[in-house]
Amino acid sequence: MGFFDRKRNLYEQQLHNKRLTIVVMAGFILFLGLLGFGFDMIMLDFFPMGTIIALALGAGTAMWSYNSGAVSVMRSTNAYPADPNNPDHRQLINVVDEMTIASGIPRPKIYIVPDKAPNAFATGKNPEDGYVAVTEGLLETLNREELQAVIAHEIAHIRNYDIRLMTIVAALVGAILLLAMMSRRMMWFGGGRRSGGGGRGGGGPVMIIVLVLWLIGIILAPIIANMMAMMVSRKREYLADATAAELTRNPNGLINALHKISGSFVKPKAIHRDAAHLCISDPFHLKREQRTGFMSDLFSTHPPINKRVEALRNMAYQYEQKQKKGEVGAG
Amino acid sequence: MGTIIAIAVAALLVLWVISRYNKLIRLRNQTTNGWKQIDVQLKRRHDLIPNLVNTVKGQMEFERETLESVIQARNSALNPKGVADAAEKENILTGALSKLFALVENYPQLRSNENVKQLQEELTSTENKIAFARQFYNDIATKFNTATQMFPGNIIANMFGFKAAELFEITVLTEREVPKVDLSFKKQK
């Protein structure tokens, strides 16, 4: 696991995450293609139909959530816009403004989620159309410095285009699940007819490999798709943490905030499972986030808190070293 | 055949010069814009200070000296001569302001005053915005400077007369740290 655990500085971390994301996205497309292609090979006698349908389904759902995903997430959490005349909201708006200045993106729309569990998330199409939402619990729990760190993390998701990526990945997972379900249904219906017809049956070893891969594919699709999504998500969290530290020049703020958020025992009410992957800290797996280990690594949307804290401490240390040498000036 | 290759190479060269030139223009515009961002925040700070001084004046008669030094620092920061001068004067103002806020802590009536609280939040935020605008400006100005100084960008930069941007720097070494001001009374939870 050396590849995943190596210590990286801020810029290496960003580069590494971007590369990995491309690999995972390619994996998704291949997987969708395989499901469709196998369907063609086994179920239908003409090649491109299933493949085209699979890829079109993926593209279609991705397009749909790209265009209206943010609004529907906001609606599902009952979020309301922040009010500049309320002192607490005013502070939030100020902090968001500070971070947009630091990152150089336009101010996102700011929403409050009526939920006592401390959490925050970002969504939207691109930096010009970004949304940041925090829960009421977050405003109550964190001090200004910690709030700033959390907002920096969310702004980082926006600036790094994670919001777009995560929306599309979620849609692709949905498409894969739907397709796998359809394939299984079709197999029960179509299976008999096919073995009776026999026309091109048993078309050589390539066919058998495709068949086996496809069968494994449709059976394991939900697990594999989720695992790939979680992988993208986790890497994005590390990257956003790194960017947040870069923006605030203060990794300790985020460390404290993460401890407070993950240490909260309040169960979220307004944030549903479909928005969980967007949150700064997985609202449904607080316990799991504090564990480390291979299995919990594979099935969490977020890396364990202590791994994130460790990465941040590493950055804090490097930053102090740099500052001593005078490489980081007035900032 | 030879002429075709020559034309292709020339065309590529021209395209390359254009793309380099455009990159430099883009960076220079971002740098100018970054500077304007600092300016906007500095102006906001200058506008907020008289409000704050007026609000706390009545209660803080005994701190006349501090109040005057804030006003004085603010007035002299209004008309800076160049980037370096602005940085220095704003720095003096930051010092005077944090002294004032430290003193406000001693006045319970002021501390619980909604007006003062709001002004403090606004000033805290403005201080941070200045720091972050400066951070952003310095990052982008450094990027611009690197692009104009490194080979082969320096050829283009010389050809079209691009000049390096001045960084918004604090010259005293001990003050290098970005001031992370939290002037609000919100208790550390």
Side-chain angles (χ1 to χ4, degrees), chain A residues 97 100-101 107, chain B residues 31-49 74 77-78 80 86 90 93 122-123 125-134 137 168:
Chain A
D97 277 347
T100 57
I101 288 172
R107 185 211 267 186
Chain B
T31 308
T32 325
N33 186 43
W35 176 249
K36 281 198 192 114
Q37 281 296 322
I38 303 183
D39 242 19
V40 168
Q41 299 310 330
L42 290 180
K43 182 162 185 317
R44 176 154 174 72
R45 165 150 91 165
H46 300 154
D47 292 347
L48 281 169
I49 286 172
R74 179 250 179 199
L78 282 178
E90 290 300 333
L93 181 53
E122 290 310 306
L123 267 167
S125 184
T126 310
E127 296 288 306
N128 286 345
K129 282 172 191 163
I130 292 168
F132 288 123
R134 194 172 72 197
Y137 169 79
F168 195 104

Side-chain angles (χ1 to χ4, degrees), chain A residues 90-91 94 97-99 101-102 104 139-141 143-144 148 246-249 260 323 329-331, chain B residues 41 121-122 124-125 128-129 132-136 138-139 168 170 176-178 180 182 186 188-189:
Chain A
R90 179 80 216 166
Q91 189 178 57
N94 278 339
D97 277 347
E98 287 161 27
M99 285 302 106
I101 288 172
L139 292 181
E140 282 161 23
T141 319
N143 66 28
R144 199 176 200 285
Q148 192 187 52
E246 186 199 340
L247 291 180
T248 60
R249 305 283 207 265
K260 279 189 188 173
Q323 215 164 28
Chain B
Q41 299 310 330
E121 165 55 30
E122 290 310 306
T124 301
S125 184
N128 286 345
K129 282 172 191 163
F132 288 123
R134 194 172 72 197
Q135 181 175 302
F136 186 72
N138 280 347
D139 283 354
F168 195 104
I170 298 164
R176 286 200 100 114
E177 262 176 71
V178 182
K180 279 285 166 319
D182 186 352
K186 211 168 177 184
Q188 299 282 312
K189 283 173 196 164

Side-chain angles (χ1 to χ4, degrees), chain B residues 2 29 68 70 90 93 99-101 111 133 152 176:
Chain B
N29 285 346
E68 266 166 19
V70 169
E90 290 300 333
L93 181 53
K99 200 175 161 204
L100 173 62
F101 279 116
R111 247 166 47 190
R176 286 200 100 114

Side-chain angles (χ1 to χ4, degrees), chain A residues 31-44:
Chain A
F31 193 43
L32 261 174
L34 175 79
L35 283 182
F37 183 68
F39 192 79
D40 283 334
M41 285 286 139
I42 294 144
M43 288 301 165
L44 309 162

Side-chain angles (χ1 to χ4, degrees), chain A residues 17 149 152-154 156-157 160 162 235-246 254 308 312:
Chain A
N17 279 299
H153 175 102
E154 300 308 333
H157 275 315
N160 298 340
D162 294 352
K235 292 295 156 188
R236 292 275 131 187
E237 292 307 318
Y238 280 124
L239 177 57
D241 285 351
T243 312
E246 186 199 340
L254 191 53
R308 288 170 73 181
L312 282 167

Side-chain angles (χ1 to χ4, degrees), chain A residues 8-16 246 249 322, chain B residues 139:
Chain A
R8 293 190 179 80
N9 73 28
L10 229 126
Y11 302 100
E12 285 173 335
Q13 182 100 44
Q14 290 189 343
L15 205 67
H16 169 81
E246 186 199 340
R249 305 283 207 265
K322 262 188 158 180
Chain B
D139 283 354

